[in-house]
């Protein structure tokens, strides 16, 4: 019975416990007052004062209550500084609608999973389960890339024109119902594919499902306005009104930050993650093929340096963090020394690498860094974190995070790529090129021109199909028009040309420009000479083009 706990062992454990009188004192304290109150070190709270020598202005605090949309609130916190400045409005009186972003996020997530089901070649449940296509397909959580993809596609809405409603501040009812509905739709699509239903009929099924989803979401969250009259008073108390604005016009007029300039940097020191490499999720996303979840893995001190650079330019930093250890909500302090657990229980705790390898921590929450206190030699002492749970707890809704907490529990940071060092940026480009080589490029079009007025075009649409030939949706002018399909591909669209002489190239560029003008609203033409349709031996150049235009 060596595999089992025996009663003799229990007796020995008890004898050891009772041989130390301090154990009983600690037991009485914890059972009466709770673990945290009994173990908290007040000196650590006193050490972490809410004072910062680099600090952004305070804005209006969001309160997400019982929903899981911290990633949306954090995204809004990141951009509202810029928008308030451009509107000349008091930052504390300005807010953007999270409900508007959430509506289209859910709609797009449903489209993403429908399209993934339509695209997969293997419809066996074992494969679908192994590929993890359905488990979290329309969950409440999200990522920076998803926030950007919705803002890029649908724009932004002032809070007053699509405010929170009863269910938008709760997630259980709507998420449960929507999961049931979308997953039932996916089963219908899988069954249809098993019966060899043609692609056009599958797409009709998908469109019907999406219409039902739009109606479902409108009934619960409210139907989004596509036009509104925006009225407010500026800092000088002048009345301002913009009539008949669309959410996209509102974004374009008042958001001067290019969200596509930001990259995700991770600090994931796991057994299977190397530094200076780019990692990407396979099926996870909201806007189909336009919201890849990826990050460049970097050492933590390099990320800190980049965060400080961005803060010095008065730009908050979006982060993903594990927030379930060593925090005191009352004082707002985050510090790995906050509770004297080591002396109380007598054992060491997991390192960051240990915790990641054993799945003990993961980035479950998003916040924005909006301040830092720097010591000599630019060394950070503590950080100011803006949360999205109102102002009742912490320091007016902010956390004071000691730098040791940054080391152990910050897992990702979103940084403008202009702050990257030359080496970091080169690594980003090289790793993007490798993803292209592996058949995992970002959304783009590839035009092959032959100088006789005919255009062949394809797009790397499906990064998970094994056969190169099926990696392309093909279009040949005058033969099989897919103009509508190509038109649905959102900017940036990258056009690359194969090997040809300069005379033919010049002639065919004009043909492509005319085609794009009629069929695709915006396009950035890039030339990669000497590349065939699969870009053989041109991967690094292609990766650079992609990174410069996304």
């Amino acid at each position: 019975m060596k595999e089992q706990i025996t009663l003799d062992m229990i007796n020995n454990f008890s004898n050891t416990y009772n041989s130390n009188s301090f154990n009983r004192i600690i037991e009485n304290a914890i059972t009466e007052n709770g673990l945290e109150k009994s173990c908290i070190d007040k000196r650590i709270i006193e050490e972490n004062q809410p004072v910062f020598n680099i600090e952004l202005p305070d804005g209006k605090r969001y309160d997400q209550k019982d929903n899981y949309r911290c990633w949306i609130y954090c995204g809004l916190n990141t951009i509202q500084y810029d928008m308030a400045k451009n509107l000349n409005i008091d930052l504390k009186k300005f807010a953007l609608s999270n409900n508007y972003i959430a509506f289209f996020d859910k709609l797009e997530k449903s489209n993403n999973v429908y399209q993934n089901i339509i695209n997969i070649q293997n419809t066996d449940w074992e494969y679908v389960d192994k590929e993890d296509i359905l488990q979290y397909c329309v969950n409440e959580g999200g990522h920076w890339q998803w926030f950007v993809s919705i803002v890029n596609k649908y724009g932004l809405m002032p809070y007053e024109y699509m405010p929170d409603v009863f269910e938008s501040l709760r997630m259980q009812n709507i998420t449960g119902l929507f999961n049931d509905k979308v997953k039932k739709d996916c089963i219908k699509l899988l069954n249809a594919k098993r019966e060899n239903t043609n692609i056009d009929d599958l797409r009709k099924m998908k469109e019907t499902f999406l219409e039902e989803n739009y109606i479902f979401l409108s009934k619960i969250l409210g139907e989004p306005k596509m036009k509104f009259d925006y009225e407010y008073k500026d800092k000088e108390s002048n009345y301002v009104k913009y009539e008949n604005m669309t959410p996209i016009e509102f974004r374009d007029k008042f958001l001067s930050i290019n969200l596509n300039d930001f990259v995700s940097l991770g600090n994931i020191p796991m057994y299977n993650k190397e530094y200076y490499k780019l990692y990407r999720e396979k099926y996870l996303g909201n806007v189909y093929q336009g919201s890849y979840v990826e990050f460049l893995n970097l050492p933590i001190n390099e990320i800190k340096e980049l965060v400080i650079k961005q803060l010095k330019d008065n730009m908050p930093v979006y982060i993903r963090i594990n927030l379930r250890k060593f925090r005191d909500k009352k004082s707002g302090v985050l510090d790995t020394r906050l509770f004297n657990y080591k002396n109380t229980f007598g054992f060491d705790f997991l390192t960051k690498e240990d915790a990641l390898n054993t799945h003990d921590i993961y980035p479950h929450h998003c916040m924005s860094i909006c301040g830092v206190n720097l010591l000599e030699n630019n060394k950070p002492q503590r950080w100011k974190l803006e949360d999205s749970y109102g102002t009742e707890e912490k320091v007016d809704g902010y956390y004071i995070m000691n730098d040791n907490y940054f080391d152990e529990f910050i897992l990702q940071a979103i940084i403008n790529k202009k702050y990257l060092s030359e080496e970091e940026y080169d690594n980003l480009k090289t790793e993007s090129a490798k993803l292209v080589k592996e058949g995992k490029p970002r959304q783009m079009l590839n035009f092959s021109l032959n100088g006789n007025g005919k255009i062949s075009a394809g797009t790397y649409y499906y990064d998970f199909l094994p056969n190169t030939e099926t990696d392309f949706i093909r279009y040949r002018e005058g033969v099989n028009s897919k103009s509508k399909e190509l038109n649905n591909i959102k900017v940036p669209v990258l056009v690359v040309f194969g090997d040809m002489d300069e005379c033919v190239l010049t002639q065919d560029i004009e043909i492509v420009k005319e085609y794009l003008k009629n069929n695709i609203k915006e396009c950035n033409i890039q030339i990669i000479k000497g590349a065939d349709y699969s870009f053989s031996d041109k991967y690094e150049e292609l990766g650079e083009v992609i990174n410069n235009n996304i």
Side-chain angles (χ1 to χ4, degrees), residues 316-365:
V317 179
Y318 183 116
I319 59 160
R320 301 185 73 213
I321 187 172
N322 187 283
L323 197 62
R324 290 177 175 156
K325 297 183 178 184
F326 306 108
R327 69 167 169 170
D328 176 42
K329 287 186 178 181
K330 183 179 178 181
S331 66
V333 169
L334 303 173
D335 193 308
T336 59
R337 306 163 299 162
L338 185 59
F339 301 106
N340 193 6
Y341 292 146
K342 184 173 181 178
N343 289 335
T344 302
F345 299 108
F347 59 85
D348 291 325
F349 293 92
L350 296 169
T351 65
K352 190 174 192 177
E353 183 176 359
D354 292 337
L356 287 165
N357 286 338
T358 57
H359 305 286
D360 185 68
I361 63 171
Y362 62 94
H364 67 89
H365 192 46

Coordinates of all heavy atoms in Angstrom, one line a residue, residues 316-365:
P316 N -0.3 55.3 -23.1 CA -0.4 54.2 -22.2 C -0.1 52.9 -22.9 O 0.0 52.8 -24.2 CB -1.9 54.2 -21.8 CG -2.6 55.0 -22.9 CD -1.6 55.9 -23.5
V317 N 0.2 51.9 -22.1 CA 0.6 50.6 -22.7 C -0.4 49.5 -22.3 O -0.7 49.3 -21.1 CB 2.0 50.2 -22.2 CG1 2.4 48.8 -22.7 CG2 3.0 51.3 -22.6
Y318 N -1.0 48.8 -23.2 CA -1.9 47.7 -23.1 C -1.1 46.5 -22.6 O -0.2 46.1 -23.3 CB -2.6 47.5 -24.4 CG -3.7 46.5 -24.5 CD1 -5.0 46.8 -24.8 CD2 -3.4 45.1 -24.4 CE1 -6.0 45.9 -24.9 CE2 -4.4 44.2 -24.5 CZ -5.7 44.6 -24.8 OH -6.7 43.6 -25.0
I319 N -1.5 45.9 -21.5 CA -0.8 44.7 -21.1 C -1.8 43.5 -20.8 O -3.0 43.7 -20.6 CB 0.0 44.9 -19.8 CG1 -0.9 45.4 -18.7 CG2 1.1 45.9 -20.0 CD1 -0.4 45.3 -17.3
R320 N -1.2 42.3 -20.8 CA -2.0 41.1 -20.4 C -1.2 40.5 -19.2 O 0.0 40.4 -19.2 CB -2.1 40.1 -21.5 CG -2.8 40.7 -22.7 CD -3.1 39.6 -23.7 NE -4.1 38.7 -23.3 CZ -4.1 37.4 -23.6 NH1 -3.2 36.9 -24.4 NH2 -5.1 36.6 -23.2
I321 N -1.9 40.2 -18.1 CA -1.3 39.9 -16.8 C -2.0 38.8 -16.1 O -3.2 38.5 -16.4 CB -1.4 41.2 -16.0 CG1 -0.6 41.0 -14.7 CG2 -2.8 41.6 -15.7 CD1 -0.5 42.3 -13.9
N322 N -1.3 38.1 -15.3 CA -2.0 37.2 -14.3 C -2.1 37.9 -13.0 O -1.0 38.3 -12.5 CB -1.2 35.9 -14.1 CG -1.9 34.9 -13.3 OD1 -1.9 35.0 -12.1 ND2 -2.5 33.9 -13.9
L323 N -3.3 38.0 -12.5 CA -3.6 39.0 -11.4 C -4.1 38.2 -10.2 O -4.7 38.8 -9.3 CB -4.6 40.0 -11.9 CG -4.7 41.3 -11.1 CD1 -3.4 42.1 -11.0 CD2 -5.9 42.2 -11.6
R324 N -3.9 36.9 -10.1 CA -4.5 36.2 -9.0 C -3.7 35.9 -7.8 O -4.0 35.1 -6.9 CB -5.1 34.9 -9.6 CG -6.3 35.2 -10.6 CD -6.8 34.0 -11.2 NE -8.0 34.4 -12.0 CZ -8.5 33.8 -13.1 NH1 -7.8 32.7 -13.5 NH2 -9.5 34.2 -13.7
K325 N -2.5 36.4 -7.8 CA -1.6 36.2 -6.6 C -1.0 37.5 -6.1 O -0.8 38.4 -6.9 CB -0.4 35.3 -7.1 CG -0.9 33.9 -7.5 CD 0.4 33.0 -7.8 CE 0.0 31.6 -8.2 NZ 1.2 30.7 -8.4
F326 N -0.7 37.6 -4.9 CA 0.0 38.6 -4.2 C -0.6 40.0 -4.6 O 0.1 41.0 -4.9 CB 1.5 38.6 -4.7 CG 2.2 37.3 -4.4 CD1 2.5 36.4 -5.5 CD2 2.4 36.9 -3.1 CE1 3.1 35.2 -5.2 CE2 3.0 35.7 -2.9 CZ 3.3 34.8 -3.9
R327 N -1.9 40.2 -4.4 CA -2.5 41.5 -4.6 C -3.4 41.8 -3.4 O -4.0 40.9 -2.8 CB -3.3 41.5 -5.9 CG -4.5 40.7 -5.9 CD -5.4 41.0 -7.1 NE -6.5 40.0 -7.3 CZ -7.5 40.2 -8.1 NH1 -7.6 41.3 -8.8 NH2 -8.4 39.2 -8.2
D328 N -3.5 43.1 -3.1 CA -4.4 43.6 -2.1 C -5.3 44.6 -2.7 O -4.9 45.7 -3.0 CB -3.6 44.2 -0.9 CG -4.5 44.8 0.2 OD1 -5.5 44.1 0.5 OD2 -4.2 45.9 0.6
K329 N -6.6 44.3 -2.9 CA -7.5 45.2 -3.5 C -7.7 46.4 -2.7 O -8.0 47.5 -3.3 CB -8.8 44.5 -3.8 CG -8.8 43.4 -4.9 CD -10.2 42.9 -5.2 CE -10.2 41.9 -6.3 NZ -11.6 41.4 -6.5
K330 N -7.7 46.3 -1.4 CA -8.0 47.5 -0.6 C -6.9 48.6 -0.8 O -7.2 49.8 -1.0 CB -8.0 47.1 0.9 CG -8.4 48.3 1.8 CD -8.4 47.8 3.3 CE -8.7 49.0 4.2 NZ -8.8 48.5 5.6
S331 N -5.6 48.2 -0.8 CA -4.6 49.2 -1.0 C -4.2 49.4 -2.4 O -3.6 50.4 -2.8 CB -3.3 48.8 -0.2 OG -2.8 47.6 -0.7
G332 N -4.6 48.4 -3.2 CA -4.2 48.4 -4.6 C -2.8 48.0 -4.9 O -2.3 48.2 -6.1
V333 N -2.1 47.4 -4.0 CA -0.7 47.0 -4.1 C -0.6 45.6 -4.7 O -1.3 44.7 -4.3 CB 0.0 47.1 -2.8 CG1 1.4 46.5 -2.9 CG2 0.1 48.5 -2.3
L334 N 0.3 45.5 -5.7 CA 0.7 44.3 -6.3 C 2.2 44.1 -6.1 O 3.0 44.9 -6.5 CB 0.5 44.2 -7.8 CG -1.0 44.5 -8.3 CD1 -1.0 44.7 -9.8 CD2 -1.9 43.4 -7.9
D335 N 2.6 43.1 -5.3 CA 4.0 42.9 -4.9 C 4.2 41.5 -4.5 O 3.4 40.9 -3.7 CB 4.3 43.9 -3.8 CG 5.8 44.0 -3.5 OD1 6.5 43.0 -3.3 OD2 6.3 45.1 -3.4
T336 N 5.2 40.8 -5.0 CA 5.4 39.4 -4.7 C 5.8 39.2 -3.2 O 5.8 38.1 -2.8 CB 6.5 38.8 -5.6 OG1 7.7 39.6 -5.4 CG2 6.1 38.9 -7.1
R337 N 6.1 40.3 -2.5 CA 6.5 40.2 -1.1 C 5.3 40.5 -0.2 O 5.5 40.6 1.1 CB 7.7 41.1 -0.8 CG 8.9 40.9 -1.7 CD 9.8 42.1 -1.5 NE 9.1 43.3 -2.0 CZ 9.5 44.6 -1.7 NH1 10.6 44.8 -1.0 NH2 8.9 45.6 -2.1
L338 N 4.2 40.8 -0.7 CA 3.0 41.4 0.0 C 2.6 40.5 1.1 O 2.2 41.0 2.2 CB 1.9 41.7 -1.0 CG 0.7 42.4 -0.4 CD1 1.0 43.7 0.2 CD2 -0.4 42.6 -1.5
F339 N 2.5 39.2 0.9 CA 2.1 38.2 1.9 C 3.2 37.4 2.4 O 3.9 36.8 1.5 CB 0.9 37.4 1.4 CG -0.3 38.2 1.0 CD1 -0.5 38.4 -0.4 CD2 -1.1 38.8 1.9 CE1 -1.6 39.1 -0.8 CE2 -2.2 39.6 1.5 CZ -2.4 39.8 0.2
N340 N 3.4 37.2 3.6 CA 4.6 36.5 4.2 C 4.3 35.0 4.2 O 4.2 34.3 5.2 CB 4.9 37.0 5.6 CG 6.2 36.5 6.1 OD1 7.0 35.8 5.4 ND2 6.5 36.7 7.4
Y341 N 4.0 34.5 3.0 CA 3.7 33.0 2.9 C 4.9 32.1 3.1 O 4.7 31.0 3.7 CB 3.1 32.8 1.5 CG 1.7 33.4 1.2 CD1 1.4 33.8 -0.1 CD2 0.8 33.5 2.2 CE1 0.2 34.4 -0.3 CE2 -0.4 34.1 2.0 CZ -0.7 34.6 0.7 OH -2.0 35.1 0.5
K342 N 6.0 32.6 2.7 CA 7.2 31.7 2.8 C 7.5 31.3 4.2 O 7.7 30.2 4.6 CB 8.4 32.4 2.1 CG 9.6 31.5 2.1 CD 10.8 32.1 1.3 CE 12.0 31.1 1.3 NZ 13.1 31.6 0.5
N343 N 7.5 32.3 5.1 CA 7.8 32.0 6.5 C 6.6 31.3 7.2 O 6.8 30.6 8.1 CB 8.1 33.3 7.3 CG 9.5 33.9 6.9 OD1 10.4 33.1 6.4 ND2 9.7 35.2 7.0
T344 N 5.4 31.6 6.7 CA 4.2 31.0 7.3 C 4.1 29.5 7.0 O 3.8 28.7 7.8 CB 2.9 31.7 6.8 OG1 3.0 33.1 7.1 CG2 1.7 31.1 7.4
F345 N 4.5 29.2 5.8 CA 4.3 27.8 5.3 C 5.6 27.0 5.0 O 5.6 25.8 4.9 CB 3.4 27.7 4.1 CG 2.0 28.3 4.3 CD1 1.7 29.6 3.8 CD2 1.1 27.6 5.1 CE1 0.4 30.1 4.0 CE2 -0.1 28.2 5.4 CZ -0.5 29.4 4.8
G346 N 6.7 27.8 4.9 CA 8.0 27.1 4.8 C 8.4 26.5 3.5 O 9.1 25.5 3.5
F347 N 7.8 27.0 2.4 CA 8.3 26.5 1.1 C 8.4 27.6 0.1 O 7.7 28.6 0.2 CB 7.4 25.3 0.6 CG 6.0 25.7 0.4 CD1 5.5 26.3 -0.8 CD2 5.0 25.4 1.4 CE1 4.2 26.6 -1.0 CE2 3.7 25.8 1.2 CZ 3.3 26.4 0.0
D348 N 9.2 27.4 -0.9 CA 9.4 28.3 -2.0 C 8.2 28.2 -3.0 O 7.6 27.2 -3.2 CB 10.7 28.1 -2.7 CG 11.9 28.4 -1.8 OD1 11.8 29.4 -1.0 OD2 12.9 27.8 -1.9
F349 N 8.0 29.3 -3.7 CA 6.9 29.4 -4.7 C 7.5 29.2 -6.1 O 8.7 29.4 -6.4 CB 6.1 30.7 -4.5 CG 5.4 30.7 -3.2 CD1 5.9 31.3 -2.1 CD2 4.1 30.1 -3.1 CE1 5.3 31.3 -0.9 CE2 3.4 30.1 -1.9 CZ 4.0 30.7 -0.8
L350 N 6.6 29.0 -7.0 CA 7.0 28.7 -8.4 C 7.6 29.9 -9.0 O 7.2 31.1 -8.8 CB 5.7 28.4 -9.3 CG 5.0 27.1 -8.9 CD1 3.7 27.0 -9.7 CD2 5.9 25.9 -9.3
T351 N 8.7 29.7 -9.8 CA 9.2 30.8 -10.7 C 8.2 31.0 -11.8 O 7.3 30.2 -12.1 CB 10.6 30.4 -11.2 OG1 10.4 29.3 -12.1 CG2 11.6 30.1 -10.1
K352 N 8.5 32.1 -12.6 CA 7.6 32.3 -13.7 C 7.7 31.2 -14.7 O 6.6 30.7 -15.2 CB 8.0 33.6 -14.4 CG 7.0 34.1 -15.5 CD 7.5 35.5 -16.0 CE 6.4 36.2 -16.8 NZ 6.8 37.6 -17.2
E353 N 8.9 30.7 -15.0 CA 9.0 29.6 -15.9 C 8.3 28.3 -15.4 O 7.6 27.6 -16.1 CB 10.5 29.3 -16.1 CG 10.7 28.2 -17.2 CD 12.2 28.0 -17.4 OE1 13.1 28.7 -16.9 OE2 12.5 27.1 -18.2
D354 N 8.5 28.0 -14.1 CA 7.8 26.9 -13.5 C 6.3 27.0 -13.6 O 5.6 26.1 -13.9 CB 8.2 26.7 -12.0 CG 9.6 26.3 -11.8 OD1 10.2 25.8 -12.7 OD2 10.1 26.6 -10.7
A355 N 5.8 28.2 -13.3 CA 4.3 28.5 -13.3 C 3.8 28.3 -14.7 O 2.7 27.8 -14.9 CB 4.1 29.9 -12.8
L356 N 4.5 28.8 -15.7 CA 4.0 28.7 -17.1 C 4.1 27.2 -17.6 O 3.1 26.7 -18.2 CB 4.9 29.5 -18.1 CG 4.6 31.0 -17.9 CD1 5.7 31.8 -18.6 CD2 3.2 31.4 -18.6
N357 N 5.1 26.5 -17.3 CA 5.3 25.1 -17.7 C 4.2 24.2 -17.1 O 3.8 23.2 -17.6 CB 6.7 24.6 -17.3 CG 7.7 25.2 -18.2 OD1 7.5 25.6 -19.4 ND2 9.0 25.1 -17.8
T358 N 3.8 24.6 -15.9 CA 2.8 23.7 -15.2 C 1.4 24.3 -15.3 O 0.4 23.9 -14.6 CB 3.1 23.6 -13.7 OG1 3.2 24.9 -13.1 CG2 4.4 22.9 -13.5
H359 N 1.2 25.3 -16.2 CA -0.1 26.0 -16.4 C -0.7 26.6 -15.2 O -1.9 26.6 -15.0 CB -1.1 25.0 -17.1 CG -0.5 24.3 -18.3 ND1 -0.4 25.0 -19.5 CD2 0.0 23.1 -18.5 CE1 0.1 24.2 -20.4 NE2 0.4 23.1 -19.9
D360 N 0.2 27.1 -14.3 CA -0.3 27.7 -13.1 C -0.7 29.2 -13.3 O -1.6 29.7 -12.6 CB 0.8 27.6 -12.0 CG 0.3 28.1 -10.6 OD1 -0.6 27.5 -10.0 OD2 0.8 29.2 -10.2
I361 N -0.1 29.8 -14.2 CA -0.5 31.2 -14.6 C -0.7 31.3 -16.1 O -0.2 30.6 -16.9 CB 0.6 32.2 -14.2 CG1 1.9 32.0 -14.9 CG2 0.8 32.2 -12.6 CD1 2.9 33.1 -14.7
Y362 N -1.6 32.2 -16.4 CA -1.9 32.6 -17.8 C -2.4 34.0 -17.9 O -2.9 34.5 -16.9 CB -2.9 31.6 -18.4 CG -4.2 31.6 -17.7 CD1 -5.3 32.3 -18.2 CD2 -4.4 30.8 -16.6 CE1 -6.5 32.3 -17.6 CE2 -5.7 30.8 -16.0 CZ -6.7 31.5 -16.5 OH -7.9 31.5 -15.8
P363 N -2.4 34.6 -19.0 CA -2.8 36.1 -19.1 C -4.3 36.2 -19.1 O -5.0 36.4 -20.2 CB -2.2 36.6 -20.4 CG -2.1 35.3 -21.2 CD -1.8 34.2 -20.3
H364 N -5.0 36.2 -17.9 CA -6.4 36.2 -17.9 C -7.0 37.6 -17.8 O -8.2 37.7 -17.9 CB -6.9 35.4 -16.6 CG -6.5 36.0 -15.3 ND1 -7.3 37.0 -14.7 CD2 -5.4 35.9 -14.6 CE1 -6.7 37.4 -13.6 NE2 -5.6 36.7 -13.5
H365 N -6.2 38.6 -17.6 CA -6.7 40.0 -17.5 C -5.9 41.0 -18.3 O -4.7 40.8 -18.5 CB -6.7 40.4 -16.0 CG -7.5 41.6 -15.7 ND1 -8.8 41.8 -16.1 CD2 -7.2 42.7 -14.9 CE1 -9.2 43.0 -15.7 NE2 -8.3 43.5 -14.9

